[in-house]
Amino acid sequence: HYHQFTCVVLAALSIEAIANAVGTALFDKHWSKHERHTPHEKIQLLYAKCGIPWQKVREQCSTVIWLSSLRNDLAHPKPELLSVEKIMSEVEWEAVQLLHPKAKLEREFTLGNASRALSGANALLQKLVQHVPSNKRLGLIHESGKFFAEVLPDTVIPISLP
């Protein structure tokens, strides 16, 4: 569960980092005026600059919106009342006393969502980097050509970008 949490959180945070890195490369010093925009607004702006159609129903765009929303939920949490009423024996209680209901945000941290988050952030970076002039790409992609990872159950294996 903690690996999935880490993957989803870091991918959610990476959306804004990708937007700021690519935005700085494409807009130079003019990017700072977009500092207060939400991460997905920044990505929409970059898509427009690169001539890429923004289609929020497409997987990549919906993943950016989901990760941006998740980032906001993590940065600005709101209390959520959780309660479960169940009558059980003492033996049943002993077996489940450490289990508790999960909040809506906690339910986002699944292996499937971890895979979606990483592949979405990786695809976003690949799509945007190809529009950045080659002399401004340094730092957008790690020197070895590796950036994100592929999610496998209980392991993370680096993959190479083209």
Side-chain angles (χ1 to χ4, degrees):
H1 182 74
Y2 294 110
H3 296 296
Q4 297 157 8
F5 172 80
T6 302
C7 287
V8 173
V9 169
L10 290 177
L13 295 174
S14 75
I15 296 301
E16 189 162 20
I18 290 168
N20 288 333
V22 173
T24 299
L26 293 176
F27 288 81
D28 294 315
K29 55 187 156 210
H30 301 288
W31 183 250
S32 62
K33 69 181 176 183
H34 302 291
E35 184 62 35
R36 296 283 179 204
H37 289 118
T38 66
H40 94 261
E41 288 171 339
K42 290 178 181 181
I43 298 297
Q44 283 180 290
L45 181 64
L46 292 171
Y47 267 49
K49 173 82 171 171
C50 296
I52 304 168
W54 177 262
Q55 300 167 315
K56 65 181 181 180
V57 294
R58 302 281 312 253
E59 176 57 31
Q60 188 174 22
C61 296
S62 69
T63 297
V64 166
I65 293 168
W66 167 64
L67 287 171
S68 295
S69 175
L70 186 66
R71 176 238 173 249
N72 288 339
D73 290 344
L74 289 165
H76 311 288
K78 296 181 181 43
E80 180 179 345
L81 177 63
L82 303 174
S83 67
V84 174
E85 189 173 316
K86 184 175 180 181
I87 299 173
M88 61 180 74
S89 70
E90 189 173 333
V91 173
E92 290 173 313
W93 169 249
E94 292 295 325
V96 299
Q97 68 179 339
L98 296 177
L99 300 177
H100 54 84
K102 290 188 167 107
K104 181 181 174 217
L105 185 60
E106 291 176 289
R107 292 191 303 267
E108 293 288 338
F109 305 117
T110 65
L111 182 61
N113 280 346
S115 182
R116 177 185 180 203
L118 285 177
S119 65
N122 191 24
L124 175 68
L125 179 65
Q126 288 181 34
K127 182 175 273 191
L128 291 175
V129 163
Q130 65 185 327
H131 296 278
V132 175
S134 59
N135 64 332
K136 293 185 176 188
R137 289 183 188 176
L138 187 61
L140 292 177
I141 300 177
H142 188 272
E143 295 84 17
S144 68
K146 295 178 180 168
F147 190 73
F148 283 111
E150 181 177 347
V151 179
L152 300 172
D154 296 321
T155 186
V156 177
I157 299 174
I159 58 172
S160 295
L161 293 175

